[in-house]
Amino acid sequence: MLKLPGLIDPHVHLREPGATHKEDFDSGTSAALAGGFTLVLAMPNTKPPIFDASTLDLALAAAKEKARCDYAQFVGAGPDNADQVAALADKAAALKMYLDKTFGELRLDDMTLWQLHFQKYPKQYPIVAHSESRSMAAAILFAAMYDRPVHIAHISLREEVLLIKAAKERGIKVTCEVCPHHLFLTAPLPPPVLRTPSPIFPENGGGLGGGRGRFEVRPRLAAQKDVDALWANLDVIDCFATDHAPHTLEEKDSEKPPPGFPGLETALPLLLTAVDDGRLTIDDIVLRSVTNPRRIFNLPEQPETWIEVDEKAEYEIKAADQFTRCGWTPFEGWKVKGQVIRVVLRACEAFKDGKVLVPPGYGQNVRAW
Ligand code: NCD
Ligand code: ZN
C-alpha cells in the first residue's frame, strides 16, 4: 500500500448555489474523497456567481453544512467589484478571472476592467485566469506589469506551455495547471467516428457513446502535438487540476450541450496508470497535487491527513461507481491501474473501500483556520 499526503484539487465546480441537480457540496466532496482529494478549491461560476460578500456567504453556508472534505471558495472578478473582492481575499481561495468564453456569466472582455483587479487583489494570493492562447499572453503581460502572481488555469496547447516556460525564465510570476483530460485525450475524430483516441494508452479511448456534446469542454480537447508538448514540458507545469465540471448526461446529449467533464474520481487513477507506464513518477504527482498547490494558493497543511493507494489494483472506470451526481465520465470503460483504498482526513477515516465515512459538514473551510 502506498501512502501519500491528501491531494489538493485547485479547480473544481461544485455547482452550489444554483445547479445542485448537477452536483452540490455533498456529492462533489464525496467524489473528491473517493478520488484521493482532501482539499478542493471551488470555482465561483455558480448561480448566482460568487462575487461579493453576500454571495460568498451563501456558498460558504452551503459548504459548511454539506462539505465532507476541506475546501476554500473562489471569488469571481466582475466589471465593478475589484474593491469588494480584494476586501474578501483572506476568506477566499483566490480571485478567478474569466477572460475567455465558457460556462457561466463571469466574463471580462474589456482589458481596462482587468487592471483594477490586478492592482487591488492582495499579492499573497494568485489571480487565476481562465485565458486561452493569446488572452493567456495578455494575462502574463498583466502579471509582469503589476508584478504579481498569476496562475493560468487548465493549459492545453503547445504554444501555451512554451510561452509560460519563456515567461518563467524571465522571472514573471506565472504558474499553471493542466487537467488529466488534456493529458490523456485528444480532440475527437470527425463524425461519424466519434471516439476520443487516447494518445497515452492506446488500448483505451473510444466508445464514449452519445453525441458530440460529450466531448465539449473548455479549453477544447487539443491535437496530438499539443498533448505531446504538455508531456514533454511537464517541468513547466506546476499543478494538476481536474477542472471537475459536472453536467448531467441529459444536458451533455442535448441540443445545446454545456462544456465540461467530471474529473475528481478519475484523475489519480489516470495519473497512477501513467506512473505504471513509466511516464510519470509518484514524486511528480505529489509535487503537482500537494506541494505546489499548497504553496501557490497559500494553503495550510491539513494535520493527520493522508491517503492510501493500491498501486497494483487494476479496474475499469465506470460512471455507475462514482459519487458525482452527473452520471457519466469521459473515461468510461478505461482500464486503469491504481486505486484509492483509504483516506484519513484530520485523524478521521473519511473514505474506505468505496464508502465515504464522514458526514456532510465534516469538511472545513481552510481559510477560516
Ligand atoms: C466549466 C464549467 O462547466 O463550469 N466548463 C468547462 O468546460 N471547463 C467552466 C470552465 O472552467 O471554463
Ligand atoms: Zn473550470
PDB file of all heavy atoms in Angstrom, residues 342-363:
ATOM      1  N   ARG A 342      -8.097   4.091   0.996  1.00  0.00           N
ATOM      2  CA  ARG A 342      -8.457   4.683   2.280  1.00  0.00           C
ATOM      3  C   ARG A 342      -7.999   6.132   2.310  1.00  0.00           C
ATOM      4  O   ARG A 342      -6.931   6.462   1.775  1.00  0.00           O
ATOM      5  CB  ARG A 342      -7.760   3.878   3.380  1.00  0.00           C
ATOM      6  CG  ARG A 342      -8.105   4.263   4.792  1.00  0.00           C
ATOM      7  CD  ARG A 342      -7.641   3.147   5.748  1.00  0.00           C
ATOM      8  NE  ARG A 342      -7.871   3.518   7.129  1.00  0.00           N
ATOM      9  CZ  ARG A 342      -6.929   3.959   7.964  1.00  0.00           C
ATOM     10  NH1 ARG A 342      -5.669   4.059   7.564  1.00  0.00           N
ATOM     11  NH2 ARG A 342      -7.227   4.298   9.204  1.00  0.00           N
ATOM     12  N   VAL A 343      -8.834   6.980   2.921  1.00  0.00           N
ATOM     13  CA  VAL A 343      -8.486   8.398   3.081  1.00  0.00           C
ATOM     14  C   VAL A 343      -8.673   8.770   4.544  1.00  0.00           C
ATOM     15  O   VAL A 343      -9.746   8.522   5.118  1.00  0.00           O
ATOM     16  CB  VAL A 343      -9.385   9.298   2.196  1.00  0.00           C
ATOM     17  CG1 VAL A 343      -9.095  10.781   2.453  1.00  0.00           C
ATOM     18  CG2 VAL A 343      -9.218   8.963   0.728  1.00  0.00           C
ATOM     19  N   VAL A 344      -7.632   9.323   5.140  1.00  0.00           N
ATOM     20  CA  VAL A 344      -7.730   9.798   6.520  1.00  0.00           C
ATOM     21  C   VAL A 344      -7.625  11.326   6.479  1.00  0.00           C
ATOM     22  O   VAL A 344      -6.662  11.874   5.938  1.00  0.00           O
ATOM     23  CB  VAL A 344      -6.627   9.180   7.402  1.00  0.00           C
ATOM     24  CG1 VAL A 344      -6.667   9.774   8.806  1.00  0.00           C
ATOM     25  CG2 VAL A 344      -6.778   7.666   7.454  1.00  0.00           C
ATOM     26  N   LEU A 345      -8.648  11.979   7.004  1.00  0.00           N
ATOM     27  CA  LEU A 345      -8.709  13.440   6.966  1.00  0.00           C
ATOM     28  C   LEU A 345      -8.806  13.972   8.393  1.00  0.00           C
ATOM     29  O   LEU A 345      -9.778  13.690   9.092  1.00  0.00           O
ATOM     30  CB  LEU A 345      -9.917  13.892   6.132  1.00  0.00           C
ATOM     31  CG  LEU A 345     -10.248  15.380   6.134  1.00  0.00           C
ATOM     32  CD1 LEU A 345      -9.067  16.255   5.756  1.00  0.00           C
ATOM     33  CD2 LEU A 345     -11.422  15.662   5.194  1.00  0.00           C
ATOM     34  N   ARG A 346      -7.785  14.718   8.782  1.00  0.00           N
ATOM     35  CA  ARG A 346      -7.692  15.237  10.154  1.00  0.00           C
ATOM     36  C   ARG A 346      -8.027  14.148  11.166  1.00  0.00           C
ATOM     37  O   ARG A 346      -8.918  14.254  11.990  1.00  0.00           O
ATOM     38  CB  ARG A 346      -8.603  16.467  10.318  1.00  0.00           C
ATOM     39  CG  ARG A 346      -8.043  17.699   9.571  1.00  0.00           C
ATOM     40  CD  ARG A 346      -8.888  18.935   9.707  1.00  0.00           C
ATOM     41  NE  ARG A 346     -10.024  18.960   8.825  1.00  0.00           N
ATOM     42  CZ  ARG A 346     -11.263  18.669   9.169  1.00  0.00           C
ATOM     43  NH1 ARG A 346     -11.543  18.349  10.417  1.00  0.00           N
ATOM     44  NH2 ARG A 346     -12.232  18.691   8.281  1.00  0.00           N
ATOM     45  N   ALA A 347      -7.254  13.058  11.065  1.00  0.00           N
ATOM     46  CA  ALA A 347      -7.273  11.935  12.015  1.00  0.00           C
ATOM     47  C   ALA A 347      -8.552  11.106  11.963  1.00  0.00           C
ATOM     48  O   ALA A 347      -8.754  10.205  12.781  1.00  0.00           O
ATOM     49  CB  ALA A 347      -7.002  12.410  13.447  1.00  0.00           C
ATOM     50  N   CYS A 348      -9.415  11.370  11.019  1.00  0.00           N
ATOM     51  CA  CYS A 348     -10.676  10.638  10.954  1.00  0.00           C
ATOM     52  C   CYS A 348     -10.716   9.848   9.641  1.00  0.00           C
ATOM     53  O   CYS A 348     -10.342  10.359   8.584  1.00  0.00           O
ATOM     54  CB  CYS A 348     -11.824  11.647  11.013  1.00  0.00           C
ATOM     55  SG  CYS A 348     -13.408  10.882  11.229  1.00  0.00           S
ATOM     56  N   GLU A 349     -11.147   8.597   9.710  1.00  0.00           N
ATOM     57  CA  GLU A 349     -11.257   7.787   8.495  1.00  0.00           C
ATOM     58  C   GLU A 349     -12.422   8.327   7.657  1.00  0.00           C
ATOM     59  O   GLU A 349     -13.579   8.218   8.033  1.00  0.00           O
ATOM     60  CB  GLU A 349     -11.507   6.336   8.894  1.00  0.00           C
ATOM     61  CG  GLU A 349     -11.300   5.371   7.765  1.00  0.00           C
ATOM     62  CD  GLU A 349     -11.227   3.935   8.281  1.00  0.00           C
ATOM     63  OE1 GLU A 349     -12.263   3.432   8.760  1.00  0.00           O
ATOM     64  OE2 GLU A 349     -10.138   3.330   8.201  1.00  0.00           O
ATOM     65  N   ALA A 350     -12.091   8.943   6.529  1.00  0.00           N
ATOM     66  CA  ALA A 350     -13.103   9.655   5.742  1.00  0.00           C
ATOM     67  C   ALA A 350     -13.620   8.829   4.574  1.00  0.00           C
ATOM     68  O   ALA A 350     -14.741   9.048   4.089  1.00  0.00           O
ATOM     69  CB  ALA A 350     -12.515  10.967   5.215  1.00  0.00           C
ATOM     70  N   PHE A 351     -12.803   7.887   4.116  1.00  0.00           N
ATOM     71  CA  PHE A 351     -13.194   7.034   2.974  1.00  0.00           C
ATOM     72  C   PHE A 351     -12.470   5.716   3.130  1.00  0.00           C
ATOM     73  O   PHE A 351     -11.297   5.680   3.464  1.00  0.00           O
ATOM     74  CB  PHE A 351     -12.771   7.706   1.656  1.00  0.00           C
ATOM     75  CG  PHE A 351     -13.025   6.882   0.418  1.00  0.00           C
ATOM     76  CD1 PHE A 351     -14.263   6.924  -0.237  1.00  0.00           C
ATOM     77  CD2 PHE A 351     -12.027   6.045  -0.115  1.00  0.00           C
ATOM     78  CE1 PHE A 351     -14.494   6.152  -1.377  1.00  0.00           C
ATOM     79  CE2 PHE A 351     -12.252   5.284  -1.251  1.00  0.00           C
ATOM     80  CZ  PHE A 351     -13.486   5.340  -1.886  1.00  0.00           C
ATOM     81  N   LYS A 352     -13.210   4.620   2.904  1.00  0.00           N
ATOM     82  CA  LYS A 352     -12.563   3.305   2.924  1.00  0.00           C
ATOM     83  C   LYS A 352     -13.340   2.328   2.065  1.00  0.00           C
ATOM     84  O   LYS A 352     -14.576   2.259   2.162  1.00  0.00           O
ATOM     85  CB  LYS A 352     -12.466   2.793   4.364  1.00  0.00           C
ATOM     86  CG  LYS A 352     -11.491   1.620   4.463  1.00  0.00           C
ATOM     87  CD  LYS A 352     -11.350   1.095   5.872  1.00  0.00           C
ATOM     88  CE  LYS A 352     -10.393  -0.083   5.845  1.00  0.00           C
ATOM     89  NZ  LYS A 352     -10.584  -0.926   7.012  1.00  0.00           N
ATOM     90  N   ASP A 353     -12.592   1.590   1.248  1.00  0.00           N
ATOM     91  CA  ASP A 353     -13.166   0.510   0.426  1.00  0.00           C
ATOM     92  C   ASP A 353     -14.451   0.938  -0.291  1.00  0.00           C
ATOM     93  O   ASP A 353     -15.472   0.255  -0.219  1.00  0.00           O
ATOM     94  CB  ASP A 353     -13.442  -0.724   1.292  1.00  0.00           C
ATOM     95  CG  ASP A 353     -12.151  -1.311   1.859  1.00  0.00           C
ATOM     96  OD1 ASP A 353     -11.101  -1.127   1.216  1.00  0.00           O
ATOM     97  OD2 ASP A 353     -12.199  -1.920   2.943  1.00  0.00           O
ATOM     98  N   GLY A 354     -14.393   2.085  -0.927  1.00  0.00           N
ATOM     99  CA  GLY A 354     -15.525   2.514  -1.740  1.00  0.00           C
ATOM    100  C   GLY A 354     -16.635   3.232  -0.989  1.00  0.00           C
ATOM    101  O   GLY A 354     -17.646   3.594  -1.593  1.00  0.00           O
ATOM    102  N   LYS A 355     -16.450   3.454   0.308  1.00  0.00           N
ATOM    103  CA  LYS A 355     -17.505   4.145   1.066  1.00  0.00           C
ATOM    104  C   LYS A 355     -16.987   5.427   1.703  1.00  0.00           C
ATOM    105  O   LYS A 355     -15.901   5.451   2.287  1.00  0.00           O
ATOM    106  CB  LYS A 355     -18.036   3.229   2.174  1.00  0.00           C
ATOM    107  CG  LYS A 355     -18.820   2.045   1.649  1.00  0.00           C
ATOM    108  CD  LYS A 355     -19.663   1.405   2.758  1.00  0.00           C
ATOM    109  CE  LYS A 355     -20.581   0.340   2.190  1.00  0.00           C
ATOM    110  NZ  LYS A 355     -19.803  -0.779   1.569  1.00  0.00           N
ATOM    111  N   VAL A 356     -17.794   6.474   1.599  1.00  0.00           N
ATOM    112  CA  VAL A 356     -17.469   7.734   2.281  1.00  0.00           C
ATOM    113  C   VAL A 356     -17.984   7.621   3.711  1.00  0.00           C
ATOM    114  O   VAL A 356     -19.153   7.292   3.934  1.00  0.00           O
ATOM    115  CB  VAL A 356     -18.116   8.938   1.560  1.00  0.00           C
ATOM    116  CG1 VAL A 356     -17.868  10.224   2.341  1.00  0.00           C
ATOM    117  CG2 VAL A 356     -17.553   9.067   0.146  1.00  0.00           C
ATOM    118  N   LEU A 357     -17.101   7.869   4.680  1.00  0.00           N
ATOM    119  CA  LEU A 357     -17.449   7.578   6.071  1.00  0.00           C
ATOM    120  C   LEU A 357     -17.671   8.820   6.940  1.00  0.00           C
ATOM    121  O   LEU A 357     -18.122   8.695   8.076  1.00  0.00           O
ATOM    122  CB  LEU A 357     -16.353   6.707   6.704  1.00  0.00           C
ATOM    123  CG  LEU A 357     -16.115   5.358   6.000  1.00  0.00           C
ATOM    124  CD1 LEU A 357     -14.929   4.627   6.619  1.00  0.00           C
ATOM    125  CD2 LEU A 357     -17.358   4.481   6.047  1.00  0.00           C
ATOM    126  N   VAL A 358     -17.337   9.984   6.412  1.00  0.00           N
ATOM    127  CA  VAL A 358     -17.595  11.200   7.206  1.00  0.00           C
ATOM    128  C   VAL A 358     -18.892  11.852   6.711  1.00  0.00           C
ATOM    129  O   VAL A 358     -19.217  11.782   5.522  1.00  0.00           O
ATOM    130  CB  VAL A 358     -16.423  12.214   7.131  1.00  0.00           C
ATOM    131  CG1 VAL A 358     -15.260  11.747   7.981  1.00  0.00           C
ATOM    132  CG2 VAL A 358     -16.006  12.456   5.684  1.00  0.00           C
ATOM    133  N   PRO A 359     -19.627  12.469   7.616  1.00  0.00           N
ATOM    134  CA  PRO A 359     -20.922  13.047   7.235  1.00  0.00           C
ATOM    135  C   PRO A 359     -20.783  14.415   6.569  1.00  0.00           C
ATOM    136  O   PRO A 359     -19.735  15.049   6.674  1.00  0.00           O
ATOM    137  CB  PRO A 359     -21.635  13.186   8.584  1.00  0.00           C
ATOM    138  CG  PRO A 359     -20.525  13.425   9.556  1.00  0.00           C
ATOM    139  CD  PRO A 359     -19.343  12.624   9.059  1.00  0.00           C
ATOM    140  N   PRO A 360     -21.856  14.865   5.917  1.00  0.00           N
ATOM    141  CA  PRO A 360     -21.871  16.248   5.425  1.00  0.00           C
ATOM    142  C   PRO A 360     -21.600  17.190   6.601  1.00  0.00           C
ATOM    143  O   PRO A 360     -22.104  16.961   7.699  1.00  0.00           O
ATOM    144  CB  PRO A 360     -23.307  16.443   4.922  1.00  0.00           C
ATOM    145  CG  PRO A 360     -23.829  15.070   4.680  1.00  0.00           C
ATOM    146  CD  PRO A 360     -23.125  14.158   5.642  1.00  0.00           C
ATOM    147  N   GLY A 361     -20.784  18.204   6.358  1.00  0.00           N
ATOM    148  CA  GLY A 361     -20.455  19.141   7.429  1.00  0.00           C
ATOM    149  C   GLY A 361     -19.132  18.825   8.102  1.00  0.00           C
ATOM    150  O   GLY A 361     -18.597  19.649   8.855  1.00  0.00           O
ATOM    151  N   TYR A 362     -18.555  17.642   7.812  1.00  0.00           N
ATOM    152  CA  TYR A 362     -17.233  17.332   8.392  1.00  0.00           C
ATOM    153  C   TYR A 362     -16.148  18.220   7.769  1.00  0.00           C
ATOM    154  O   TYR A 362     -15.186  18.587   8.421  1.00  0.00           O
ATOM    155  CB  TYR A 362     -16.889  15.847   8.206  1.00  0.00           C
ATOM    156  CG  TYR A 362     -15.549  15.508   8.826  1.00  0.00           C
ATOM    157  CD1 TYR A 362     -15.417  15.394  10.209  1.00  0.00           C
ATOM    158  CD2 TYR A 362     -14.407  15.373   8.039  1.00  0.00           C
ATOM    159  CE1 TYR A 362     -14.183  15.136  10.796  1.00  0.00           C
ATOM    160  CE2 TYR A 362     -13.161  15.119   8.611  1.00  0.00           C
ATOM    161  CZ  TYR A 362     -13.063  15.001   9.997  1.00  0.00           C
ATOM    162  OH  TYR A 362     -11.835  14.761  10.565  1.00  0.00           O
ATOM    163  N   GLY A 363     -16.330  18.545   6.511  1.00  0.00           N
ATOM    164  CA  GLY A 363     -15.333  19.361   5.795  1.00  0.00           C
ATOM    165  C   GLY A 363     -15.255  20.761   6.377  1.00  0.00           C
ATOM    166  O   GLY A 363     -16.259  21.306   6.838  1.00  0.00           O
TER     167      GLY A 363
END
